[in-house]
Each structure stands twice: as C-alpha cells, then as structure tokens.
Amino acid sequence: MRIPSTSCLCPFLVCLCFIQRSYGTGHHVPVKVPSKNQTKLPNGETEVHHRPKRGWIWNQFFVLEEHLGPDAQYVGKLHSNSDKGDGTVRYILSGEGAGTIFIIDEVTGDIHATKSLDRERKSHYVLHAQALDRNTEEALEPKSEFIIKVQDINDNAPKFPDGPFVASVPEMSEVGTSVLQVSASDADDPTYGNSARIVYSILLGQPYFSVDPKTGIIRTALANMDREAREHYAVVVQAKDMAGQVGGLSGSTTVNITLSDVNDNPPKFPQSTYQNYQLYVPESAQEGKPVGKIKANDEDLGINADIKYSIINSEGANTFSISTDRDTREGILSLKKSLNYERKKTYTLHIEGVNTHTDPRFSYLGSFKDTATLKITVGDVDEAPVFSMDYYILDVYENSPSGTEVGSVTARDPDSRNSPVRYFMDSKEDGVRYFRIDESTGVIRTTQPLDREDMPWHNITVMASEVDNPVLFSHVPVTVQVLDVNDNPPEIATDEDVIVCENSRPGQVIQTITALDMDDFANGQRFSFALPNQLPVNPNFTLKDNEDSSASIIARRRRFSQLTQELYELPIVVWDGGEPSLSGTSTLTLRVCPCQRHGKVRMCQGKAFLSSAGLSTGALIAILLCIIILLAIVVLFITLRRSKKEPLIISEEDVRENVVTYDDEGGGEEDTEAFDIIALRNPAAAEELKFRRDIRPEARKHCGPAPSCRSPSVEVDEVDVHEFIKQKLVEADMDTSVPPYDSLQTYAYEGQGSPTGTISPLDSTRTHSEQDYNYLEEWGPEFQKLAELYTEVESPESFIRI
C-alpha cells in the first residue's frame, strides 16, 4: 500500500506514519501472482510472455478514538496494481461498520471514518476489500480482509470498583503494620502509552497512615496509636494515571479505619468515691441475697475489660462473698452467713479487681489489677424470737390421760433488750385438737388420750413472738411420736376357710397359720399358739406351736367325708410377747373337700368349682364350645326328624310303645326288649305268651268254674287294668330272676268287649265322639292332660302317648 506523503504532514501523525511504513515492510498481505504464458516458436524455442504483476498493496490501518473534528477522519487508502488511474477500477468495502462508520471512495480507494469511535467499546474492526472492473464488473483482485484498529487516548479516569472500604487495625500497632490493600482500574489500553499506568497516594489521613504508590497497600505510619484517644479514621486514597504526570486523570476512594481494642488499660477503682464510704447492711438481711455493689472502671472493651472481683482479707471473706455481673461488670456483694448487730457492728472488706484476659506485650505497663477498701456497718433491727433448736422431736405414750406433758420448747429475743416471749400453736393445723402449749413456759401437753395404732406421729408448728411486738414472730416444727403400749390382742392372720382333704392321714399338716398384732415390733411379732384348755380334746385336729410365731394344724384321724360333715370349727388361742402379754381366741372354719393325690383341691362346692382356684379361662372356653356343639347336634337332629315323613303308627295291627326308666347302667340288650302289646290287644294271642309272667294277667283266680272261663277275651276284659299293673309292679320288684330295672308299661289298647269302650285315640280317625271328657280330670292329675287333649279338635293323624 502506498500512502501519500501528504498524510504525514500533520505533526501529530508523524509517529503514526512511521509505524505504518514500518508495518509495510514486514506485514504479509495477499498478492495475486500473474500466470505465465508460453508460446512455442517454429524453430522449437519457447517464448515466454510476462504479464505485469497485479495485487493489493496496503498495511494495517489505525484510527484515533474520540475524534471530534468537523470532517470525517481519514483512515487510509486502498490501491491495486491494476489501477492505472483512468477510473476503470471500482473499489468496494464490506464488513464491520462498512457504509456506516467507514466509507470508501470507489475511484480513489480512500477510506474515511464518519463517526467518533470509542476504543473501550470496540477496539478494532474487520473489513473486506474488492477491486472490480468498472466496465465488466469482473474482479481484478481477489476479495481480501484487513483490520482497522482504534488508537487509544487517555479518556478514562481510574476507578475503585469496591470502594468505599472498611478496615481495622489493633491499637498500639508498630509502624508499617499492613491495614488494607486497595485497587483501582483504568479502562484505557494498558499496552499503549501510560494511559492506564496508575499511581496511588493519600489525600487525607496523614500522618497516621501511608499507601504504597504501586501496590495500593495502606500501612500505619504513626506508632502507639491509642484507641482510647481516637478510635476511627477516614483515609482518602487517590489513584492517578499517566504514572502520576501532569495531565493525567485521577479517582479517589475513602477507607474507614477503626482501631481495635487491646488490653492496654488496667482496671481502676474510683478511690475518691470508696475511700470513706460506709455501706449500711441491716442485720435482718437474708443469707445469699445481694447487699451492695462495687465497680472498677476499665477503658478497654469486650473481654479486655472483664474483671474478676475477690475479697482478699479473711474478715470479710468469712461473712461476705462477691461475684461479677457480666452485663454491668459490677461486683455484687452477698451475705454468706447472717449478721448479728449484738455480736459485730462493722466489717472492713479489701476488694481486688483483676483483668481476666491480659496481653503479655503490655506487661511493661504494670499490674493489671486494683484494690479498694469498703467498710460495712451493720444496722440494728428488731428481730423475732429465736428458738433454741431448729426442730423438736418429742414423745408420749399412747393411752396417756389428758394433760400429760409431752415436752417443751424454748425461744428468746435476740435483741439487746431481751423482751419476754409468748408461745402459741398454729390454729390451722390438725394437731391443735390433740395438744396445747403454755404461752409463757412453752410446755406442750395432750388434750386427749392418743392411740398409736390410729396415728403414730403428730406434726405441729409452735410459734413465738415478743410480748411488746406481737407482729414479729418465728416458728419451729415439732414432731410428737406416740409410743406404743401393748393394748391390742393378737389375731389369726386368715380370713378364708382352711381346706381339709378327704384323704388326709393322721399326723398330716393341714395348714400353717400366723397371727397379726396391731402393736409395734417391740410388743408384737412374737406369738405362741394353743388350743383352749377349757374345751375337751378335739378328736379330729390338734395344734402344734412351731415356736417361730407360727403354728401347724394337724389331722388326728384318717379320712374325712364331705357328705358326712363338711365344716369343722377349731378355736385357737394366741399370746403375744408384750409386757403384759395379751391373748386372743380366733375360731377357724375347716372345710372338707375332695383332693387329688398331691393335696390339690379337686372341687369344693359349685362356688369353688367356678372360682379363681377352679376353672381357668381356657377350660371355660372349652366347656362353652362343647355346649355350642351339643346344641348344634340337637338342632340338626330335630331338623332331620321333621324332614323325615314317616307315619307315627305303622299299622293298626302292631302298635308297640314303651316308657322304660332305668335306675342302673346294667342290663345290656335285655333293657331294649320291648313288651309285645298283642297280648292285650288280641286276647287270643295271650295263650302264646304264657312264658311272659310280667305280661299276661292271672285271670283264673278271678273267675269261677272252668266253663265260665272258656272265653279268654271275657277274662281279660273283666280284669281291672289298674290292679293288674300294680300287681305286676310288685312281682317285678320281688322277682330276682328278671332284669334289675323298674318298668312302666303303657298300652295303646285296653282290650276288647269293654262296656265303656276305648279311650285310645287310635281309632278316632274313623268317628268323632261328642262325649264330654271333662270328667277325666276327676281321676287324677295323670288324666288331666288327657281330658284337655280330647276336648280340643284334633287332626285324624294325631295320637296320644301316656
């Protein structure tokens, strides 16, 4: 690229022109190399035709930022070797800012910047150039890329993006102690000139602090800076570009520096205040309660001002204690024991205050503690009477008569005038019913006989007040123990019946018994047992004293029977070991029960069977399940019977009904042998059953000669059925050859030829009688139901069993 010499006329751009020429020698730009044409001559030689070289000739362009001139700023010129200056070449510019920021003269190739540029916003632009034949629009040069750089000027001042700053440094620090490092930034180009070269300096804050010009580190510049004298400092730091030269731009920030506290001040008591101070403490002050305050001043802060107080003389340390209030740092005085004006009226306390956190760097300043003297005056107060003891324990025997002296209490007025004291009891307590006190002497007496077994201890409160000042009073607890006397006879310690097994043997221990005594251990718990002497010797049981406050009941005979005698009564006399000895007689009830082998009661009455000692929960559940199963079987059986439709009377010719009552388990198949009723129903068949003596009646003894007994039917009909049954019952009872059972034979037929007819309903299906059967009730209860049934209207299939 060829730059006209006129571009170097401006003195300000002399250096820029020099740089541009230098770039022209060393910058590689694309060059279009023309092709070589070779022509072969007739003589065989080759003629080479050389085209002139064409290509772009230019260097990198620069443009100054912030141009404020009225004309567009000249940037540079594009030129091609193909341009002969005749205007046939047309230059075209494209890329970033082409046509808006940068414009090109199509004929000359001159480039101008039409706007003011800011390097901090955009530092360079990339564009593309083309050279075209104006007539043919053919490209004379290939499209090529070049850069326009925005040249920086010092148009930005340094800034502190993180300001203002806050920092702290310990007081009394050495000179040069680092406090904080500040840093400023400059938007100008740091690689070009001094526009971004910053130098730091302090505008405000000297001579206390200094700043490093290059690094911006702030340091202390004055020794022994005291926080108690001045705590806060405002330091103004300036940053200037152009290396601090005249004409450079600058910016500033404020650094707020605080001196942090160190323990460089010892505590101090205001001696002028406490030197002749008299602290008044009344003798009525309570132990452990605060009675006064004292404070040492410390100019330090935080833990550096923490103070521990102590009383360093024994006179004060024995009576008073001191602690530190963390919030106010005051020493709180408290009483360790009560004061007595009559014994000691003044106390002198030497109090010391010491810093709890010390810094060895400042040990040269001296001891970090201070002492003060405090005088305490004890004030006289009218006090309530004081009992000689903190509590009283008295005793009295039970059953003592009313007015018996239990004991006494004593109180006195602690004041110097020693006023007389009056005693009385707290009327709100229950003990007033049993005791009274003499208001002058303090003697306590009973108001009624006491019973140790009812209440062995009584707690009362006795009060004492001055006669001159009854408002002030004191009280003391008094416990009265009621001493025991042997006034209760012993008793047998059992409320339940003693169980005696039926299979008991002579000498067998039935049960071991003990006794109870309401008296205390001194007069009880040593018992002896015996049977009453005035009673005859018990043939069933005897008693053995085990000599260990227990006795054993022993059987004297073999076997007992619950059926013969279930209950036995055994009186026993018991003596205690008191002085004098008391005795009591208790009667035990012994119940006979069947037992298993090892003496375990099997069953004793229905109540015992279901008691807690009998059936368990599992057994009860099993029994309940069995009952449910049996009920289910019965319901199933009844359902099957109803569903089975069979005639109750199989045949009119053969009706057989039996009501058989057994009194024993024996008999076997003989018990099921039914009575054949044909003998009564058909008298002719009686001849075939003569071998059955329990069925056929002996009719011959009721009839006359043989001709009159020719008809068996007549014989049977004339026999009284009732007498016949009774006779057979007697024979069955007396006859040992027949099975051992009682039988009641109920027949469905009375025989034939009876003038009264039959009462059986078996033939009632044919005809219905209108006869009144109420007269059957006169025959007895057994015929009452029969009369009721015949009175009702019955179905043809109905029948009756009796």
Side-chain angles (χ1 to χ4, degrees), residues 266-525:
K268 293 291 183 180
F269 284 104
Q271 297 290 343
S272 58
T273 303
Y274 287 98
Q275 186 174 2
N276 297 317
Y277 180 75
Q278 295 286 337
L279 180 62
Y280 175 82
V281 179
E283 62 175 339
S284 60
Q286 299 181 9
E287 295 181 15
K289 298 295 182 179
V291 296
K293 300 178 181 179
I294 189 171
K295 184 178 182 181
N297 297 325
D298 194 323
E299 296 180 354
D300 296 322
L301 299 176
I303 63 173
N304 296 320
D306 288 345
I307 301 173
K308 180 182 179 181
Y309 298 93
S310 59
I311 301 174
I312 58 178
N313 65 320
S314 58
E315 177 186 356
N318 293 333
T319 309
F320 297 89
S321 64
I322 189 169
S323 60
T324 304
D325 189 322
R326 294 184 178 181
D327 297 328
T328 62
R329 293 188 173 91
E330 294 176 327
I332 308 300
L333 283 170
S334 301
L335 275 177
K336 293 177 65 175
K337 58 183 180 180
S338 59
L339 302 176
N340 192 331
Y341 174 80
E342 287 72 25
R343 293 182 180 179
K344 190 173 181 59
K345 298 178 175 57
T346 59
Y347 292 87
T348 300
L349 277 67
H350 298 291
I351 300 174
E352 181 182 66
V354 181
N355 280 142
T356 57
H357 298 81
T358 58
D359 193 337
R361 296 179 301 171
F362 306 103
S363 58
Y364 65 91
L365 297 177
S367 177
F368 282 78
K369 62 182 179 180
D370 196 13
T371 58
T373 301
L374 180 62
K375 291 185 178 181
I376 297 178
T377 301
V378 180
D380 186 19
V381 178
D382 190 5
E383 300 176 83
V386 179
F387 284 95
S388 60
M389 299 177 64
D390 295 333
Y391 60 90
Y392 293 85
I393 299 178
L394 309 177
D395 56 64
V396 62
Y397 280 98
E398 65 175 330
N399 302 328
S400 298
S402 176
T404 301
E405 181 178 344
V406 178
S408 62
V409 296
T410 304
R412 65 176 183 83
D413 183 10
D415 298 324
S416 56
R417 59 174 178 264
N418 195 16
S419 300
V421 177
R422 182 177 66 89
Y423 303 95
F424 58 97
M425 297 177 62
D426 190 353
S427 59
K428 298 179 181 179
E429 293 184 342
D430 187 62
V432 179
R433 297 186 304 163
Y434 303 99
F435 305 95
R436 58 183 174 85
I437 188 170
D438 189 298
E439 65 177 13
S440 300
T441 62
V443 175
I444 301 174
R445 301 179 183 273
T446 61
T447 60
Q448 56 182 315
L450 304 178
D451 187 1
R452 189 203 67 84
E453 288 72 33
D454 182 33
M455 186 179 297
W457 295 88
H458 294 268
N459 296 317
I460 59 177
T461 301
V462 176
M463 299 183 178
S465 65
E466 297 180 10
V467 176
D468 300 335
N469 187 8
V471 178
L472 293 176
F473 60 88
S474 58
H475 54 83
V476 66
V478 178
T479 301
V480 179
Q481 180 184 10
V482 181
L483 302 178
D484 181 61
V485 296
N486 193 18
D487 59 345
N488 292 279
E491 299 177 353
I492 299 297
T494 179
D495 295 332
E496 299 181 355
D497 295 345
V498 178
I499 303 301
V500 180
C501 293
E502 288 184 329
N503 56 357
S504 298
R505 301 182 305 275
Q508 180 178 346
V509 177
I510 303 300
Q511 184 169 333
T512 301
I513 59 174
T514 58
L516 294 177
D517 196 329
M518 296 179 63
D519 296 322
D520 65 3
F521 184 80
N523 293 321
Q525 307 302 323

Side-chain angles (χ1 to χ4, degrees), residues 768-769 771 773-774 784-795 798 800:
H768 295 277
S769 175
Q771 184 178 356
Y773 294 97
N774 292 329
Q784 182 178 359
K785 186 63 178 178
L786 185 62
E788 293 175 0
L789 294 175
Y790 269 90
T791 304
E792 298 176 357
V793 179
E794 301 177 61
S795 62
S798 65
I800 298 176

Side-chain angles (χ1 to χ4, degrees), residues 59-77:
N59 289 323
Q60 183 172 261
F61 296 141
F62 292 89
V63 60
L64 289 176
E65 66 171 336
E66 305 294 345
H67 176 71
L68 300 178
D71 300 329
Q73 183 181 183
Y74 180 77
V75 178
K77 184 181 183 67

